[in-house]
Each structure stands twice: as structure tokens, then as C-alpha cells.
Amino acid sequence: MPTIKDIIVRKPTKEESAEYSKWPIWECQPSTFDWVYTEKETCLIIEGDVTITADQDSVSFAAGDLVIFPEGLECTWNIRKAVRKYYNFG
């Protein structure tokens, strides 16, 4: 089963940013909720500040970060500042 350590957080290349800006946008106000990734998700954070927690470990990311979540990850999202992100599953 994937863990927090399997989440990839990095800065996107210019080419990636241009490509990902064509993806749908997801938005959410500050909140906390559980989530299970039934497939891989790649997202580019446009705005916001988020911490993901699973099994006592956590990772944080914010505007400008490219984040890749592995299929099978079970986690808790803690959105501290309203988030907007481009996203793609698969």
C-alpha cells in the first residue's frame, strides 16, 4: 500500500505548466476530509496551502507545486488556504 513517501512534490517545467493548464480545475475552501486515490492523480497547484497526512506522516504543498499521488493512497487532506488546482487522473 502506498504511503506519504510515495507522493511526489516538485516544481513543474515550463512545458508541463503549459500542458497542465489545459486540464480541468478543482477548487475547495479550507476544510479537512479523508480521501482514497482509486487511480493515480497528477495536479498542479494554482492557489492554496495543503497538508496531506497518512499514518502519522505528512507532506505539504502550495501554489506552484506539481504533485503526483499514487493509486491506492489513503490519506487526510487538510486545506489551510483555499485551493485551486489543475488535475488529471490516470
Coordinates of all heavy atoms in Angstrom, one line a residue:
M1 N 0.8 -1.2 0.0 CA 0.0 0.0 0.0 C 0.9 1.2 0.0 O 1.8 1.3 0.8 CB -0.9 0.0 1.2 CG -1.7 1.2 1.3 SD -2.7 1.3 2.6 CE -4.2 1.1 2.8
P2 N 0.6 2.2 -0.8 CA 1.4 3.4 -0.9 C 1.3 4.2 0.4 O 0.4 4.1 1.1 CB 0.7 4.2 -2.0 CG -0.1 3.3 -2.8 CD -0.5 2.2 -1.8
T3 N 2.4 5.0 0.6 CA 2.5 5.9 1.8 C 2.7 7.3 1.4 O 2.9 7.6 0.2 CB 3.6 5.4 2.7 OG1 4.9 5.7 2.1 CG2 3.5 4.0 3.1
I4 N 2.8 8.2 2.4 CA 3.1 9.6 2.1 C 4.4 9.7 1.3 O 4.5 10.6 0.5 CB 3.2 10.4 3.4 CG1 1.8 10.6 4.0 CG2 3.9 11.7 3.3 CD1 0.8 11.5 3.2
K5 N 5.3 8.9 1.6 CA 6.7 8.9 1.0 C 6.6 8.7 -0.6 O 7.5 9.0 -1.3 CB 7.6 8.0 1.6 CG 8.0 8.3 3.0 CD 8.8 7.3 3.7 CE 9.2 7.6 5.1 NZ 8.2 7.7 6.1
D6 N 5.4 8.1 -1.0 CA 5.3 7.9 -2.4 C 4.7 9.1 -3.2 O 4.6 9.0 -4.4 CB 4.4 6.6 -2.6 CG 5.0 5.4 -2.1 OD1 6.2 5.1 -2.4 OD2 4.4 4.7 -1.3
I7 N 4.3 10.1 -2.5 CA 3.8 11.3 -3.1 C 5.0 12.1 -3.6 O 6.0 12.3 -2.9 CB 3.0 12.2 -2.1 CG1 1.7 11.5 -1.6 CG2 2.6 13.5 -2.8 CD1 1.0 12.2 -0.5
I8 N 4.9 12.5 -4.9 CA 6.0 13.3 -5.5 C 5.5 14.8 -5.5 O 4.4 15.1 -6.0 CB 6.2 12.9 -6.9 CG1 6.7 11.4 -6.9 CG2 7.2 13.8 -7.6 CD1 6.8 10.8 -8.3
V9 N 6.4 15.7 -4.9 CA 6.1 17.1 -4.9 C 7.3 17.8 -5.5 O 8.4 17.6 -5.0 CB 5.8 17.7 -3.5 CG1 5.6 19.2 -3.6 CG2 4.7 16.9 -2.9
R10 N 7.1 18.5 -6.6 CA 8.3 19.2 -7.2 C 7.7 20.4 -8.0 O 6.5 20.6 -8.2 CB 9.1 18.3 -8.1 CG 8.3 17.7 -9.3 CD 9.2 16.9 -10.2 NE 8.4 16.3 -11.3 CZ 8.1 16.8 -12.4 NH1 8.4 18.1 -12.7 NH2 7.5 16.1 -13.4
K11 N 8.6 21.2 -8.5 CA 8.2 22.3 -9.4 C 8.1 21.8 -10.8 O 8.9 21.0 -11.3 CB 9.3 23.5 -9.3 CG 9.4 24.1 -8.0 CD 8.1 24.7 -7.5 CE 8.3 25.3 -6.1 NZ 7.0 25.7 -5.6
P12 N 7.1 22.2 -11.6 CA 6.9 21.8 -12.9 C 7.8 22.5 -13.9 O 8.3 23.6 -13.6 CB 5.5 22.1 -13.2 CG 5.2 23.3 -12.4 CD 6.0 23.1 -11.1
T13 N 8.1 21.9 -15.0 CA 8.8 22.5 -16.1 C 7.9 23.5 -16.8 O 6.6 23.4 -16.6 CB 9.4 21.5 -17.1 OG1 8.3 20.9 -17.8 CG2 10.3 20.5 -16.5
K14 N 8.4 24.4 -17.6 CA 7.5 25.3 -18.4 C 6.6 24.5 -19.3 O 5.4 24.9 -19.4 CB 8.4 26.3 -19.2 CG 9.0 27.3 -18.3 CD 9.8 28.3 -19.2 CE 10.5 29.4 -18.4 NZ 11.2 30.3 -19.2
E15 N 7.1 23.5 -19.9 CA 6.3 22.6 -20.8 C 5.2 21.9 -20.0 O 4.1 21.9 -20.5 CB 7.2 21.6 -21.5 CG 8.2 22.1 -22.4 CD 9.5 22.7 -21.8 OE1 9.7 22.5 -20.5 OE2 10.2 23.4 -22.4
E16 N 5.5 21.4 -18.8 CA 4.5 20.8 -18.0 C 3.4 21.8 -17.6 O 2.2 21.5 -17.7 CB 5.1 20.2 -16.8 CG 5.9 18.9 -17.0 CD 6.6 18.4 -15.8 OE1 7.1 19.2 -15.0 OE2 6.8 17.2 -15.7
S17 N 3.8 23.0 -17.2 CA 2.8 24.0 -16.8 C 1.9 24.4 -18.0 O 0.7 24.5 -17.8 CB 3.6 25.3 -16.3 OG 4.2 25.0 -15.1
A18 N 2.5 24.5 -19.2 CA 1.6 24.8 -20.3 C 0.7 23.7 -20.6 O -0.5 24.0 -20.9 CB 2.5 25.1 -21.5
E19 N 1.1 22.5 -20.6 CA 0.2 21.3 -20.8 C -0.8 21.2 -19.8 O -2.0 21.0 -20.1 CB 1.1 20.0 -20.9 CG 0.2 18.8 -21.1 CD 1.1 17.5 -21.0 OE1 2.3 17.6 -21.2 OE2 0.5 16.4 -20.8
Y20 N -0.5 21.3 -18.5 CA -1.4 21.0 -17.4 C -2.5 22.1 -17.3 O -3.5 21.9 -16.8 CB -0.7 20.9 -16.1 CG 0.3 19.7 -16.1 CD1 1.2 19.6 -15.1 CD2 0.3 18.7 -17.0 CE1 2.1 18.5 -15.0 CE2 1.2 17.7 -17.0 CZ 2.1 17.6 -16.0 OH 3.0 16.5 -15.9
S21 N -2.2 23.3 -17.8 CA -3.1 24.4 -17.7 C -4.4 24.2 -18.6 O -5.3 24.9 -18.5 CB -2.5 25.7 -18.1 OG -2.1 25.8 -19.5
K22 N -4.3 23.1 -19.4 CA -5.5 22.7 -20.3 C -6.4 21.8 -19.5 O -7.5 21.5 -20.0 CB -5.0 22.0 -21.5 CG -4.1 22.9 -22.4 CD -3.5 22.2 -23.5 CE -2.5 23.0 -24.3 NZ -1.7 22.2 -25.2
W23 N -6.0 21.3 -18.4 CA -6.7 20.3 -17.6 C -7.9 21.0 -16.8 O -7.9 22.2 -16.6 CB -5.9 19.6 -16.6 CG -4.8 18.6 -17.2 CD1 -4.8 18.2 -18.4 CD2 -3.8 18.0 -16.5 NE1 -3.7 17.3 -18.6 CE2 -3.1 17.2 -17.4 CE3 -3.3 18.1 -15.1 CZ2 -2.0 16.5 -17.0 CZ3 -2.2 17.3 -14.8 CH2 -1.6 16.5 -15.7
P24 N -8.9 20.2 -16.3 CA -9.9 20.8 -15.5 C -9.4 21.4 -14.2 O -8.3 21.0 -13.8 CB -10.8 19.6 -15.2 CG -10.4 18.5 -16.1 CD -9.0 18.8 -16.5
I25 N -10.2 22.3 -13.6 CA -9.8 22.9 -12.4 C -10.7 22.4 -11.3 O -11.9 22.3 -11.4 CB -9.8 24.4 -12.4 CG1 -8.8 25.0 -13.4 CG2 -9.7 25.1 -11.1 CD1 -8.8 26.5 -13.6
W26 N -10.1 22.1 -10.1 CA -10.8 21.7 -8.9 C -10.6 22.7 -7.9 O -9.4 23.2 -7.7 CB -10.4 20.3 -8.4 CG -11.1 19.8 -7.2 CD1 -12.3 19.2 -7.1 CD2 -10.6 19.8 -5.9 NE1 -12.6 18.8 -5.8 CE2 -11.5 19.2 -5.0 CE3 -9.4 20.3 -5.3 CZ2 -11.4 19.1 -3.7 CZ3 -9.2 20.2 -3.9 CH2 -10.2 19.6 -3.1
E27 N -11.6 23.1 -7.1 CA -11.5 24.1 -6.1 C -12.1 23.6 -4.8 O -13.1 22.9 -4.8 CB -12.2 25.4 -6.5 CG -11.6 26.1 -7.7 CD -12.4 27.3 -8.1 OE1 -13.7 27.3 -8.1 OE2 -11.8 28.3 -8.5
C28 N -11.5 24.0 -3.7 CA -12.1 23.7 -2.4 C -11.7 24.7 -1.3 O -10.5 25.2 -1.3 CB -11.6 22.3 -1.9 SG -12.4 21.6 -0.5
Q29 N -12.6 25.1 -0.5 CA -12.4 26.0 0.6 C -11.6 25.3 1.7 O -11.6 24.1 1.8 CB -13.7 26.6 1.1 CG -14.4 27.5 0.1 CD -13.5 28.7 -0.3 OE1 -13.0 29.3 0.5 NE2 -13.4 28.9 -1.6
P30 N -11.1 26.0 2.7 CA -10.4 25.4 3.8 C -11.3 24.3 4.5 O -12.5 24.6 4.8 CB -10.1 26.5 4.8 CG -10.0 27.7 3.9 CD -11.0 27.5 2.8
S31 N -10.8 23.1 4.7 CA -11.5 22.0 5.2 C -10.6 20.9 5.5 O -9.4 20.9 5.1 CB -12.6 21.6 4.2 OG -12.1 21.3 3.0
T32 N -11.1 19.8 6.1 CA -10.4 18.6 6.4 C -11.3 17.4 6.0 O -12.4 17.4 6.4 CB -10.0 18.5 7.8 OG1 -9.2 19.6 8.2 CG2 -9.2 17.2 8.1
F33 N -10.7 16.5 5.2 CA -11.5 15.4 4.8 C -10.6 14.2 4.4 O -9.4 14.4 4.0 CB -12.4 15.7 3.6 CG -11.7 16.2 2.4 CD1 -11.2 15.4 1.4 CD2 -11.5 17.6 2.2 CE1 -10.5 15.9 0.3 CE2 -10.8 18.1 1.1 CZ -10.3 17.2 0.1
D34 N -11.1 13.0 4.5 CA -10.4 11.8 4.1 C -10.6 11.5 2.6 O -11.6 11.9 2.1 CB -11.0 10.6 4.9 CG -10.7 10.7 6.4 OD1 -9.7 11.3 6.8 OD2 -11.5 10.1 7.2
W35 N -9.6 10.9 2.0 CA -9.6 10.6 0.6 C -8.9 9.4 0.3 O -7.8 9.1 0.9 CB -9.0 11.8 -0.2 CG -9.2 11.7 -1.7 CD1 -8.4 11.3 -2.6 CD2 -10.5 12.0 -2.3 NE1 -9.0 11.3 -3.9 CE2 -10.3 11.7 -3.7 CE3 -11.7 12.4 -1.9 CZ2 -11.3 11.9 -4.6 CZ3 -12.7 12.5 -2.8 CH2 -12.5 12.3 -4.2
V36 N -9.4 8.6 -0.7 CA -8.7 7.4 -1.2 C -8.5 7.6 -2.7 O -9.4 7.8 -3.4 CB -9.5 6.1 -0.9 CG1 -8.8 4.9 -1.5 CG2 -9.8 5.9 0.6
Y37 N -7.3 7.4 -3.1 CA -6.9 7.5 -4.5 C -7.2 6.2 -5.2 O -6.4 5.2 -5.0 CB -5.5 8.0 -4.8 CG -5.4 9.5 -4.4 CD1 -5.1 9.9 -3.1 CD2 -5.6 10.4 -5.4 CE1 -5.1 11.3 -2.8 CE2 -5.6 11.8 -5.1 CZ -5.3 12.2 -3.8 OH -5.3 13.5 -3.5
T38 N -8.2 6.1 -6.0 CA -8.5 4.8 -6.7 C -7.7 4.7 -8.0 O -7.7 3.7 -8.7 CB -10.0 4.7 -7.0 OG1 -10.4 5.9 -7.8 CG2 -10.8 4.6 -5.7
E39 N -7.1 5.8 -8.4 CA -6.2 5.8 -9.5 C -5.2 7.0 -9.3 O -5.4 7.8 -8.4 CB -6.9 6.0 -10.9 CG -7.7 7.2 -11.0 CD -8.5 7.2 -12.3 OE1 -7.9 6.9 -13.4 OE2 -9.7 7.5 -12.2
K40 N -4.1 6.9 -10.0 CA -3.0 8.0 -9.9 C -3.6 9.3 -10.3 O -4.4 9.4 -11.2 CB -1.9 7.6 -10.9 CG -0.8 8.7 -11.0 CD 0.2 8.2 -12.0 CE 1.1 9.4 -12.4 NZ 2.0 9.0 -13.5
E41 N -3.2 10.4 -9.5 CA -3.6 11.7 -9.9 C -2.4 12.6 -10.0 O -1.5 12.5 -9.1 CB -4.6 12.3 -8.8 CG -4.9 13.8 -9.2 CD -5.7 14.5 -8.1 OE1 -6.0 13.9 -7.1 OE2 -6.1 15.7 -8.4
T42 N -2.3 13.4 -11.0 CA -1.3 14.4 -11.2 C -2.0 15.8 -11.1 O -3.0 16.0 -11.7 CB -0.6 14.3 -12.5 OG1 0.0 13.0 -12.6 CG2 0.5 15.3 -12.7
C43 N -1.5 16.7 -10.3 CA -2.1 18.0 -10.2 C -1.1 19.1 -10.1 O 0.1 18.9 -9.6 CB -3.1 18.1 -9.1 SG -2.4 17.8 -7.5
L44 N -1.4 20.3 -10.6 CA -0.6 21.5 -10.5 C -1.4 22.5 -9.6 O -2.5 22.9 -10.0 CB -0.3 22.0 -11.9 CG 0.5 23.3 -11.9 CD1 1.8 23.2 -11.3 CD2 0.6 23.8 -13.4
I45 N -0.8 22.8 -8.5 CA -1.5 23.7 -7.6 C -1.4 25.2 -8.1 O -0.3 25.7 -8.3 CB -0.9 23.6 -6.2 CG1 -0.8 22.1 -5.7 CG2 -1.7 24.4 -5.2 CD1 -2.1 21.4 -5.7
I46 N -2.6 25.8 -8.3 CA -2.6 27.2 -8.7 C -2.6 28.1 -7.6 O -1.9 29.1 -7.6 CB -3.9 27.4 -9.6 CG1 -4.0 26.4 -10.7 CG2 -4.0 28.8 -10.1 CD1 -5.4 26.3 -11.3
E47 N -3.4 27.8 -6.5 CA -3.5 28.6 -5.3 C -3.7 27.6 -4.1 O -4.2 26.5 -4.3 CB -4.7 29.5 -5.4 CG -4.7 30.5 -6.5 CD -6.0 31.3 -6.5 OE1 -6.9 31.1 -5.6 OE2 -6.2 32.1 -7.5
G48 N -3.3 28.1 -3.0 CA -3.7 27.3 -1.8 C -2.5 26.8 -1.0 O -1.3 27.0 -1.3
D49 N -2.8 26.2 0.1 CA -1.8 25.6 1.1 C -2.5 24.4 1.7 O -3.5 24.5 2.3 CB -1.5 26.7 2.2 CG -0.4 26.2 3.1 OD1 0.3 25.2 2.8 OD2 -0.3 26.9 4.1
V50 N -1.8 23.2 1.5 CA -2.4 21.9 1.8 C -1.4 21.1 2.5 O -0.2 21.1 2.2 CB -2.9 21.2 0.6 CG1 -3.5 19.9 0.9 CG2 -3.9 22.0 -0.2
T51 N -1.9 20.3 3.5 CA -1.1 19.2 4.1 C -1.8 18.0 4.0 O -3.0 17.9 4.3 CB -0.7 19.5 5.6 OG1 0.1 20.7 5.7 CG2 0.0 18.4 6.2
I52 N -1.2 16.9 3.5 CA -1.8 15.6 3.4 C -1.1 14.7 4.5 O 0.1 14.7 4.7 CB -1.4 14.9 2.0 CG1 -1.9 15.8 0.9 CG2 -2.0 13.5 2.0 CD1 -3.4 16.0 0.8
T53 N -2.0 14.0 5.3 CA -1.5 13.1 6.3 C -1.9 11.7 6.2 O -3.1 11.5 5.7 CB -2.0 13.6 7.7 OG1 -1.6 15.0 7.8 CG2 -1.4 12.9 8.9
A54 N -1.1 10.7 6.5 CA -1.4 9.3 6.5 C -0.4 8.6 7.4 O 0.8 8.8 7.3 CB -1.3 8.7 5.1
D55 N -1.0 7.8 8.3 CA -0.1 7.0 9.2 C 0.9 7.9 9.9 O 2.1 7.5 10.0 CB 0.6 5.9 8.4 CG -0.4 4.9 7.8 OD1 -1.5 4.7 8.5 OD2 -0.2 4.4 6.8
Q56 N 0.5 9.0 10.5 CA 1.3 9.9 11.3 C 2.4 10.6 10.5 O 3.2 11.4 11.0 CB 2.0 9.1 12.4 CG 1.1 8.3 13.3 CD 0.0 9.1 14.0 OE1 0.2 10.3 14.3 NE2 -1.2 8.6 14.1
D57 N 2.5 10.4 9.2 CA 3.4 11.2 8.3 C 2.6 12.2 7.6 O 1.4 12.1 7.3 CB 4.1 10.2 7.3 CG 5.1 9.3 8.0 OD1 5.8 9.8 8.9 OD2 5.3 8.2 7.5
S58 N 3.3 13.3 7.1 CA 2.6 14.3 6.3 C 3.5 14.9 5.3 O 4.8 14.8 5.4 CB 2.1 15.4 7.3 OG 3.1 16.1 7.9
V59 N 2.9 15.5 4.3 CA 3.6 16.3 3.3 C 2.8 17.5 3.0 O 1.5 17.4 3.0 CB 3.9 15.4 2.0 CG1 2.6 15.1 1.3 CG2 4.8 16.2 1.0
S60 N 3.4 18.7 2.8 CA 2.7 19.9 2.5 C 3.1 20.4 1.1 O 4.2 20.1 0.6 CB 3.1 21.0 3.5 OG 2.6 20.6 4.8
F61 N 2.2 21.1 0.5 CA 2.5 21.7 -0.8 C 1.6 23.0 -1.0 O 0.6 23.2 -0.2 CB 2.3 20.8 -2.0 CG 1.0 20.0 -1.9 CD1 -0.2 20.5 -2.5 CD2 0.9 18.7 -1.3 CE1 -1.4 19.8 -2.4 CE2 -0.2 18.0 -1.2 CZ -1.4 18.5 -1.8
A62 N 2.0 23.8 -1.9 CA 1.3 25.1 -2.1 C 1.3 25.5 -3.6 O 1.8 24.8 -4.4 CB 1.9 26.1 -1.2
A63 N 0.9 26.7 -3.8 CA 0.8 27.3 -5.2 C 2.2 27.1 -5.9 O 3.2 27.3 -5.3 CB 0.4 28.7 -5.2
G64 N 2.1 26.6 -7.1 CA 3.3 26.4 -7.9 C 3.9 25.0 -7.9 O 4.8 24.7 -8.6
D65 N 3.4 24.2 -7.0 CA 3.9 22.8 -6.9 C 3.1 21.9 -7.8 O 1.9 22.0 -8.0 CB 3.7 22.3 -5.4 CG 4.7 22.9 -4.5 OD1 5.8 23.4 -4.9 OD2 4.4 23.0 -3.3
L66 N 3.9 20.9 -8.4 CA 3.3 19.8 -9.1 C 3.3 18.6 -8.1 O 4.3 18.3 -7.5 CB 4.2 19.5 -10.3 CG 3.9 18.2 -11.1 CD1 2.6 18.3 -11.8 CD2 5.0 17.8 -12.0
V67 N 2.2 18.0 -8.0 CA 2.0 16.9 -7.0 C 1.5 15.7 -7.7 O 0.5 15.8 -8.5 CB 1.1 17.3 -5.9 CG1 1.0 16.2 -4.8 CG2 1.4 18.7 -5.3
I68 N 2.1 14.5 -7.5 CA 1.6 13.2 -8.0 C 1.3 12.3 -6.9 O 2.1 12.0 -6.1 CB 2.7 12.6 -9.0 CG1 3.0 13.6 -10.1 CG2 2.2 11.3 -9.5 CD1 4.2 13.2 -10.9
F69 N 0.0 11.9 -6.9 CA -0.5 11.0 -5.8 C -0.6 9.6 -6.4 O -1.2 9.4 -7.5 CB -1.9 11.4 -5.4 CG -1.9 12.8 -4.7 CD1 -2.3 13.9 -5.5 CD2 -1.6 12.9 -3.4 CE1 -2.3 15.1 -4.9 CE2 -1.7 14.2 -2.8 CZ -2.0 15.3 -3.6
P70 N -0.1 8.6 -5.7 CA -0.1 7.2 -6.2 C -1.5 6.5 -6.0 O -2.2 6.9 -5.1 CB 0.9 6.5 -5.4 CG 0.9 7.2 -4.1 CD 0.7 8.6 -4.4
E71 N -1.9 5.7 -6.9 CA -3.1 4.9 -6.8 C -3.0 4.1 -5.5 O -1.9 3.5 -5.1 CB -3.2 3.9 -8.0 CG -4.4 3.0 -7.9 CD -4.5 2.1 -9.1 OE1 -3.7 2.2 -10.0 OE2 -5.4 1.2 -9.0
G72 N -4.1 4.0 -4.7 CA -4.2 3.2 -3.5 C -3.9 4.0 -2.3 O -4.0 3.5 -1.2
L73 N -3.4 5.3 -2.4 CA -3.1 6.0 -1.2 C -4.4 6.4 -0.4 O -5.3 6.9 -1.0 CB -2.4 7.3 -1.6 CG -2.0 8.3 -0.4 CD1 -0.9 7.7 0.5 CD2 -1.6 9.6 -1.0
E74 N -4.4 6.2 0.9 CA -5.5 6.6 1.8 C -4.9 7.7 2.7 O -3.9 7.5 3.3 CB -5.9 5.4 2.6 CG -6.5 4.3 1.8 CD -7.0 3.1 2.6 OE1 -7.2 3.2 3.8 OE2 -7.2 2.0 2.0
C75 N -5.5 8.8 2.7 CA -5.0 10.0 3.4 C -6.0 10.9 3.9 O -7.2 10.8 3.6 CB -4.0 10.7 2.5 SG -4.7 11.4 1.0
T76 N -5.6 11.9 4.6 CA -6.5 13.0 5.0 C -5.9 14.3 4.5 O -4.7 14.6 4.6 CB -6.5 13.1 6.6 OG1 -7.0 11.8 7.1 CG2 -7.4 14.2 7.1
W77 N -6.8 15.1 3.8 CA -6.5 16.4 3.3 C -6.8 17.4 4.4 O -7.9 17.4 4.9 CB -7.3 16.7 2.1 CG -6.8 16.2 0.8 CD1 -6.6 14.9 0.4 CD2 -6.3 17.0 -0.3 NE1 -6.1 14.8 -0.8 CE2 -5.9 16.1 -1.3 CE3 -6.3 18.3 -0.6 CZ2 -5.5 16.5 -2.6 CZ3 -5.8 18.8 -1.8 CH2 -5.4 17.9 -2.8
N78 N -5.8 18.3 4.6 CA -6.1 19.5 5.5 C -5.8 20.7 4.7 O -4.6 21.1 4.5 CB -5.2 19.4 6.7 CG -5.4 20.6 7.7 OD1 -6.4 21.4 7.4 ND2 -4.6 20.8 8.7
I79 N -6.8 21.4 4.2 CA -6.7 22.6 3.3 C -6.7 23.8 4.2 O -7.7 24.1 4.8 CB -7.8 22.6 2.3 CG1 -7.8 21.4 1.4 CG2 -7.7 23.9 1.5 CD1 -8.9 21.3 0.4
R80 N -5.5 24.4 4.4 CA -5.4 25.6 5.3 C -5.8 26.9 4.6 O -6.2 27.8 5.2 CB -4.0 25.6 5.9 CG -3.7 24.4 6.8 CD -2.3 24.6 7.4 NE -1.3 24.7 6.5 CZ -0.6 23.7 5.9 NH1 -0.9 22.5 6.3 NH2 0.4 23.9 5.1
K81 N -5.5 26.9 3.3 CA -5.8 28.1 2.5 C -6.5 27.6 1.2 O -6.0 26.6 0.6 CB -4.6 28.9 2.1 CG -4.8 30.1 1.3 CD -3.5 30.9 1.0 CE -3.8 32.0 0.1 NZ -2.5 32.6 -0.4
A82 N -7.7 28.2 0.8 CA -8.5 27.7 -0.3 C -7.6 27.3 -1.5 O -6.6 28.0 -1.8 CB -9.4 28.8 -0.7
V83 N -7.9 26.1 -2.0 CA -7.0 25.5 -3.0 C -7.7 25.5 -4.4 O -9.0 25.3 -4.5 CB -6.6 24.1 -2.7 CG1 -7.7 23.1 -2.7 CG2 -5.5 23.6 -3.5
R84 N -6.9 25.8 -5.4 CA -7.3 25.6 -6.8 C -6.2 24.8 -7.5 O -5.1 25.1 -7.3 CB -7.5 27.0 -7.6 CG -8.6 27.8 -7.0 CD -8.7 29.1 -7.8 NE -9.3 28.8 -9.2 CZ -8.8 29.3 -10.3 NH1 -7.8 30.1 -10.4 NH2 -9.4 29.0 -11.5
K85 N -6.6 23.8 -8.3 CA -5.6 23.0 -8.9 C -6.1 22.5 -10.2 O -7.3 22.3 -10.4 CB -5.2 21.8 -8.0 CG -6.3 20.8 -7.8 CD -5.9 19.6 -7.0 CE -7.0 18.6 -6.9 NZ -6.6 17.3 -6.3
Y86 N -5.1 22.4 -11.2 CA -5.4 21.6 -12.4 C -5.2 20.2 -12.0 O -4.3 19.9 -11.3 CB -4.4 22.0 -13.5 CG -4.5 23.4 -14.0 CD1 -3.4 24.3 -13.7 CD2 -5.6 23.9 -14.7 CE1 -3.5 25.6 -14.1 CE2 -5.6 25.2 -15.1 CZ -4.6 26.1 -14.9 OH -4.6 27.4 -15.3
Y87 N -6.0 19.3 -12.6 CA -5.8 17.9 -12.2 C -6.1 16.9 -13.4 O -6.8 17.3 -14.3 CB -6.8 17.5 -11.0 CG -8.2 17.5 -11.4 CD1 -8.8 16.3 -11.8 CD2 -9.0 18.7 -11.5 CE1 -10.2 16.3 -12.2 CE2 -10.3 18.6 -11.9 CZ -10.9 17.4 -12.2 OH -12.2 17.4 -12.6
N88 N -5.5 15.7 -13.2 CA -5.7 14.7 -14.3 C -5.6 13.3 -13.6 O -4.6 13.1 -12.8 CB -4.7 14.8 -15.4 CG -5.0 13.8 -16.5 OD1 -6.1 13.7 -17.0 ND2 -3.9 13.2 -17.0
F89 N -6.5 12.4 -13.8 CA -6.4 11.1 -13.3 C -5.9 10.1 -14.3 O -6.2 10.3 -15.5 CB -7.8 10.6 -12.8 CG -8.2 11.3 -11.5 CD1 -9.2 12.3 -11.6 CD2 -7.7 10.9 -10.3 CE1 -9.6 13.0 -10.4 CE2 -8.1 11.6 -9.1 CZ -9.0 12.6 -9.2
G90 N -5.2 9.1 -13.8 CA -4.7 8.1 -14.7 C -3.2 8.2 -15.1 O -2.5 9.0 -14.6

